[in-house]
């Protein structure tokens, strides 16, 4: 029941945010929700919005317009036809909430499917974060590095699934549905733990975190090797 109430609250905040943005920027053409709220709305602690505009609004003024909403709103502003660059993967995994979907499709067009090398480099990056966690003196920094390390393992998994399916689709719900049942079940387990519990609910292992990371990394590597045999 609480999750449903949270979803209703998030939807109301989004509706009000879009209404205010439209009044403030006549050149607004599309609004996209991305980040955790796009994947798991009931757990959203804040809202990340991409706005695509043909106008010239002041970004700071738009932030000020939304400052009193019940959930914090983070805005990223791009002009229509301006390249999204490194933001593109996060936006592709989001969902349009207002405007012309063709504008977003144009912005994302031409983005390639990731390469196997990107998968293995992402896995190595997870190990880098785990090493930084082990070296950290501050408990807070140690905890955040481990949290990032676990989530980077999930990013490696998601990229591998995209390559296996030959798709540029990044939304894990859709990727899961496209997999054969056995692989989908394994992917669902990794989503539930690495992405939802460890990243967004903050319930990643804190006791013997190094050993927990090693176990999860081995499971991730086995899964990736099933998808992308070397």
């Amino acid at each position: 029941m609480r999750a449903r109430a949270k979803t209703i609250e998030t939807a109301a905040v989004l509706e009000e945010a879009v209404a205010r943005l439209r009044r403030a920027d006549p050149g607004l053409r599309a609004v996209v929700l991305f980040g955790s709220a796009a994947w798991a709305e009931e757990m959203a602690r804040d809202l990340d919005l991409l706005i695509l505009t043909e106008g010239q609004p002041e970004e700071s003024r738009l932030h000020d317009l939304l400052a009193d909403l019940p959930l914090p709103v983070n805005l990223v502003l791009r002009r229509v036809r301006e390249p999204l660059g490194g933001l593109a993967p996060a936006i592709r995994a989001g969902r349009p909430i207002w405007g012309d979907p063709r504008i977003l499709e144009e912005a994302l067009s031409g983005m390639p499917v990731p390469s196997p090398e990107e998968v293995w480099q992402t896995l190595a990056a997870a190990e880098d974060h785990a090493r930084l966690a082990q070296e950290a003196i501050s408990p807070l920094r140690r905890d955040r590095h481990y949290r990032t390390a676990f989530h980077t393992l999930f990013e490696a998994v998601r990229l591998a699934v995209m390559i296996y399916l030959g798709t540029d689709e990044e939304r894990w719900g859709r990727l899961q549905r496209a997999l054969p049942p056995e692989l989908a079940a394994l992917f669902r387990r990794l989503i539930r733990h690495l992405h939802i519990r460890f990243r967004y609910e903050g319930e990643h292992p804190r006791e013997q975190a190094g050993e927990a990371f090693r176990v999860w990394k081995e499971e991730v590597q086995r899964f990736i090797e099933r998808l992308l045999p070397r």
Side-chain angles (χ1 to χ4, degrees):
M1 182 65 72
R2 255 187 275 176
R4 184 170 180 274
K6 179 69 171 177
T7 300
I8 293 171
E9 177 191 19
T10 301
V13 173
L14 288 172
E15 183 178 359
E16 178 62 22
V18 168
R20 294 185 187 186
L21 291 170
R22 291 180 65 189
R23 288 195 296 269
D25 178 16
L28 189 66
R29 293 294 175 264
V31 181
V32 182
L33 176 68
F34 67 101
S36 59
W39 307 318
E41 195 170 295
E42 70 279 3
M43 294 187 293
R45 295 183 177 88
D46 59 9
L47 304 174
D48 299 314
L49 297 180
L50 168 71
I51 59 176
L52 297 169
T53 180
E54 292 178 337
Q56 299 289 330
E58 292 183 19
E59 193 165 351
S60 60
R61 179 170 174 267
L62 296 183
H63 275 285
D64 290 344
L65 284 174
L66 307 180
D68 64 337
L69 292 174
L71 285 172
V73 179
N74 307 306
L75 291 180
V76 175
L77 186 149
R78 289 289 187 276
R79 305 288 184 265
V80 171
R81 288 178 289 278
E82 179 183 355
L84 295 176
L87 187 64
I91 299 305
R92 179 174 282 134
R95 59 183 174 89
I97 59 172
W98 179 84
D100 187 346
R102 293 171 297 180
I103 291 176
L104 180 61
E105 289 170 11
E106 180 182 344
L108 291 172
S109 64
M111 292 298 296
V113 173
S115 68
E117 177 62 19
E118 188 175 349
V119 174
W120 299 114
Q121 289 297 324
T122 302
L123 196 62
E127 294 175 317
D128 290 343
H129 282 292
R131 185 179 66 256
L132 289 170
Q134 292 166 1
E135 296 170 355
I137 297 174
S138 161
L140 177 61
R141 292 179 66 181
R142 180 177 183 272
D143 183 73
R144 290 194 174 180
H145 277 305
Y146 269 126
R147 188 172 178 176
T148 301
F150 284 115
H151 188 254
T152 306
L153 289 179
F154 172 74
E155 286 299 304
V157 168
R158 185 166 57 84
L159 292 172
V161 172
M162 290 172 64
I163 296 170
Y164 176 82
L165 295 172
T167 180
D168 60 3
E169 172 63 67
E170 299 209 3
R171 284 166 283 195
W172 45 260
R174 293 188 178 183
L175 292 171
Q176 175 187 293
R177 290 193 291 273
L179 286 170
E182 183 182 358
L183 292 175
L186 294 172
F187 187 39
R188 188 159 51 247
R189 167 177 161 79
L190 295 171
I191 292 169
R192 185 170 62 250
H193 288 85
L194 296 175
H195 187 59
I196 296 178
R197 284 189 57 207
F198 293 0
R199 173 70 183 275
Y200 290 115
E201 295 181 349
E203 295 181 4
H204 56 291
R206 290 176 171 81
E207 300 297 326
Q208 299 182 320
E211 176 62 17
F213 176 81
R214 184 190 64 79
V215 170
W216 280 103
K217 185 244 178 185
E218 290 176 355
E219 180 170 339
V220 163
Q221 187 162 338
R222 287 193 299 270
F223 180 73
I224 291 173
E225 287 173 347
R226 288 188 64 176
L227 301 178
L228 309 175
R230 291 193 179 189

